[in-house]
Each structure stands twice: as structure tokens, then as C-alpha cells.
């Protein structure tokens, strides 16, 4: 099983930071909105997980019920591939990707402004 992690978002961030990636603001804003919507959905899932997935199993106050509660709580929150851990890692990648999109839009805008200034300079206007 392969889980996408934060290290997978680094190459995009690095190419955007270096200025190699630029993104038209209109297209970029639509992508940013979609990523934010997905982040909001993951936040909702994580909030629900805290309330419902990790809640005690209704097997009563006895040793078997206690063991089952601990087992399900651990699976929901504690294991490496638990729902909460996987969704938290996914959210982190979404957030990093959204930040890279915003930076790529900024790259496009900066390059556009620099090009306009250069063109005005060559045309002799301010």
C-alpha cells in the first residue's frame, strides 16, 4: 500500500518557488477553490471521526467491551494507516498543493507586471 505524503508535494513546491511554474490567475483561482473545498471536506470527515469512529463500542462496561473499544479506537486514530492519520496526511498534501497554486498565480502575476514594465520602458511611457 502506498500512502501519498508530504514529501510527494515537495517537487511541485520547489518548481513553483524557483519560478518555473506560473499559472493564469483565472484558472488558478478555480483550482485553488476546488482544493479548498476538498480541504474543507477532509476537515469535516476528521471532525466526524473524532465524534463517531472513535466512540466507544456499545458492548457494555465489561472486559470484552473495554478491549473492543480500545481496539476500534486504536484502528480509527492510532495506527499508521488509521483513518485519522491517512486523512491528516492527505489534508497536508492538499494544503501544500493549494499553497503552490497560490504561489504559481503570484509567479504569473509578477512576470506579467515585469513584462508590462519592460514594455513601457521600451516604448518610453511610464
Amino acid at each position: 500500500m502506498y500512502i501519498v505524503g508530504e514529501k510527494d508535494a515537495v517537487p511541485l513546491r520547489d518548481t513553483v518557488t524557483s519560478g518555473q511554474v506560473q499559472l493564469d490567475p483565472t484558472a488558478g483561482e478555480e483550482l485553488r477553490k476546488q482544493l479548498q473545498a476538498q480541504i474543507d471536506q477532509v476537515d469535516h470527515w476528521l471532525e466526524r471521526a473524532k465524534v463517531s469512529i472513535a466512540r466507544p463500542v456499545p458492548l457494555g462496561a465489561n472486559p470484552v467491551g473495554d478491549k473492543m473499544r480500545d481496539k476500534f479506537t486504536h484502528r480509527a486514530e492510532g495506527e499508521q494507516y488509521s483513518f485519522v492519520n491517512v486523512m491528516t496526511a492527505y489534508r497536508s498534501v492538499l494544503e501544500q498543493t493549494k499553497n503552490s497554486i497560490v504561489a504559481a498565480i503570484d509567479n504569473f502575476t509578477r512576470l506579467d507586471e515585469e513584462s508590462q514594465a519592460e514594455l513601457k520602458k521600451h516604448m518610453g511611457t511610464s
Side-chain angles (χ1 to χ4, degrees):
M1 171 183 244
Y2 179 73
I3 302 296
V4 175
E6 292 179 18
K7 69 180 184 295
D8 299 306
V10 171
L12 175 61
R13 184 179 63 221
D14 290 348
T15 58
V16 170
T17 301
S18 72
Q20 296 175 24
V21 176
Q22 296 122 28
L23 191 56
D24 173 73
T26 304
E29 182 58 23
E30 185 59 35
L31 185 54
R32 188 205 61 78
K33 285 179 184 177
Q34 291 176 4
L35 287 165
Q36 186 60 55
Q38 188 63 39
I39 290 168
D40 294 343
Q41 181 64 53
V42 170
D43 287 344
H44 176 72
W45 291 336
L46 287 168
E47 193 59 39
R48 285 187 56 204
K50 290 177 187 176
V51 174
S52 62
I53 293 177
R55 75 174 181 247
V57 179
L59 297 175
N62 59 64
V64 172
D66 293 343
K67 291 276 188 198
M68 294 301 290
R69 181 193 64 240
D70 293 345
K71 177 181 176 180
F72 287 123
T73 299
H74 185 69
R75 282 191 180 164
E77 295 181 327
E79 295 179 359
Q80 179 182 1
Y81 299 116
S82 70
F83 177 80
V84 171
N85 286 342
V86 170
M87 286 295 107
T88 300
Y90 177 55
R91 188 198 187 287
S92 178
V93 171
L94 288 170
E95 188 73 37
Q96 288 178 7
T97 304
K98 183 187 83 169
N99 293 342
S100 293
I101 295 300
V102 170
I105 293 169
D106 291 344
N107 288 347
F108 182 95
T109 303
R110 186 187 73 254
L111 182 63
D112 188 48
E113 289 169 354
E114 289 171 359
S115 297
Q116 286 178 20
E118 190 69 24
L119 183 60
K120 286 179 183 178
K121 184 172 104 177
H122 288 296
M123 294 178 68
T125 61
S126 300

